[in-house]
Amino acid sequence: ARVADDDTTMYNKGVITSVLQALHQSELQIREFNFSLYFLLNFRFSSQDEDSGVMLAFESPTRTKADKSLLKQFRILIVRAFKNEYKGYSSLLIQAIEALFMSIMIGCIFIDLGQDQISVRDRVGLFFIMGGLYPFIVILDTIAKFNAEREIFYREMEDGLYSTGPYFFSKVLSGLPFHTIFLFLYTVPMYWLAGLQPTVKKFLGNCLYTYMAVYSSRCMAMAISAALVSFQVAAFCANLLFTIFLLSSGFIINLESLWLGVRWLKWTSYLKWSFQALNKIEFEGLDFTCNQSMVYMYGECPIPNGTVALKSYDLNKESLEECFFALFGIIVLFLCLTFIFLKYVNQKPKS
């Protein structure tokens, strides 16, 4: 009997030890969870027993509405978003090198275009590449980053740590500084290597509409990622939509030659508006030279100036102001769709 009691005692001690170890692990997990709450909602903790790893307790068990205001949620979320961006400095460095490399590569291909008749077609091709290459890369990068953050966003929303609005605005605004830096790295070397018009007004106009084209791609990718939880499906739909916009930009085929049933797509294509704006900025006020053989062949210079060039490519229909407001409206539309999808579409990650 004594032996049986000893065995029972040893068994109970083993069970108790296992339970204590499990509790200790649970307490550590709860402690880490509370620290995450601290960073999200600025809770204050007081340590009760550091050596034993006892769970940290709240200094105050109740919180006022002011503490959980939308402004405070936004402030904390945007600080966290910037910190996450800075922590991924290697990714930022790669994106910067990528933008700079593409800019130099394209600039070297279209280097010093000049102002002869051949340069007209070359300029149009340059603006098509400028407004289509980098926006495509931004789409894939945005979808991948959005998908990586989805699980955290879903869990924190399920726990009621914040609402959709603060998260949405923090995500949009935290990416703007880096987006601007990458765009200047992409635009500046290419512009001067290609020998485009060396005036401040023309250069800034080129940067503005390239910026809006790339940002439109980013907003479109965010909207599609918010609507479609699966990364593969979102990437496929984004590429498909981008291809449709690219085909209706006005470079591959004249927009007036499109079948009437799909001609309306050109009004929804942000690549069409940016492509037209970039050409109008460069060609307006530009004169082209002709050699004697061309004058003898055609009786006159085929394309004597930028106005004729824009008309020949059917790029003179809308003004720069119309292009700007069209791009601005498309950006706002994609951002509104992103907010709606984040709020009403279940963001639970697919296994």
Side-chain angles (χ1 to χ4, degrees), residues 183-293:
L183 251 295
F184 272 98
L185 290 175
Y186 175 69
T187 307
V188 175
M190 187 193 315
Y191 188 92
W192 299 107
L193 284 172
L196 302 179
Q197 293 198 54
T199 64
V200 176
K201 183 179 179 180
K202 299 282 186 180
F203 170 69
L204 293 179
N206 184 283
C207 291
L208 172 64
Y209 285 99
T210 306
Y211 185 97
M212 296 185 77
V214 178
Y215 197 68
S216 296
S217 283
R218 175 183 172 86
C219 295
M220 181 186 73
M222 290 174 58
I224 293 175
S225 296
L228 304 171
V229 179
S230 172
F231 171 77
Q232 291 79 7
V233 176
F236 171 78
C237 291
N239 289 335
L240 179 62
L241 194 57
F242 181 84
T243 302
I244 294 173
F245 289 156
L246 196 66
L247 292 174
S248 58
S249 63
F251 176 77
I252 298 175
I253 183 173
N254 191 295
L255 296 178
E256 296 301 320
S257 302
L258 289 173
W259 175 49
L260 190 62
V262 297
R263 194 178 298 175
W264 59 271
L265 288 172
K266 66 181 183 179
W267 304 112
T268 65
S269 172
Y270 61 88
L271 295 177
K272 177 260 184 188
W273 294 108
S274 62
F275 176 66
Q276 183 168 321
L278 291 173
N279 279 282
K280 288 182 73 69
I281 290 171
E282 175 63 17
F283 281 109
E284 288 181 351
L286 197 62
D287 295 321
F288 297 99
T289 60
C290 285
N291 54 39
Q292 292 298 324
S293 61

Side-chain angles (χ1 to χ4, degrees), residues 43-194:
F43 284 134
R44 294 192 298 268
F45 300 92
S46 61
S47 178
Q48 293 181 350
D49 189 350
E50 275 192 48
D51 295 334
S52 61
V54 175
M55 178 182 67
L56 295 174
F58 294 118
E59 193 175 80
S60 175
T62 58
R63 308 297 295 172
T64 63
K65 286 187 177 180
D67 290 333
K68 292 185 179 180
S69 65
L70 297 179
L71 183 61
K72 184 169 186 178
Q73 291 177 24
F74 169 74
R75 178 178 62 81
I76 296 170
L77 286 170
I78 197 169
V79 168
R80 185 180 72 168
F82 274 117
K83 286 182 178 179
N84 289 337
E85 291 285 354
Y86 286 126
K87 286 180 181 178
Y89 65 91
S90 59
S91 175
L92 296 176
L93 182 61
I94 291 173
Q95 292 181 59
I97 295 174
E98 181 182 58
L100 185 62
F101 174 77
M102 285 192 298
S103 178
I104 295 174
M105 180 185 69
I106 297 172
C108 290
I109 293 174
F110 292 90
I111 193 166
D112 197 14
L113 291 176
Q115 292 181 231
D116 55 9
Q117 295 296 296
I118 299 176
S119 69
V120 176
R121 177 69 178 179
D122 292 342
R123 275 179 166 81
V124 176
L126 170 62
F127 296 133
F128 176 74
I129 295 295
M130 182 182 292
L133 180 60
Y134 194 58
F136 175 72
I137 296 175
V138 166
I139 288 175
L140 298 179
D141 177 71
T142 303
I143 292 176
K145 186 177 294 185
F146 204 101
N147 190 71
E149 298 175 359
R150 192 185 307 277
E151 184 174 356
I152 297 175
F153 170 71
Y154 172 74
R155 290 183 177 179
E156 291 174 346
M157 286 292 293
E158 285 292 302
D159 293 335
L161 299 181
Y162 48 78
S163 56
T164 306
Y167 174 81
F168 167 76
F169 285 106
S170 67
K171 186 168 183 62
V172 171
L173 296 179
S174 64
L176 284 178
F178 306 101
H179 175 79
T180 304
I181 293 171
F182 298 151
L183 251 295
F184 272 98
L185 290 175
Y186 175 69
T187 307
V188 175
M190 187 193 315
Y191 188 92
W192 299 107
L193 284 172

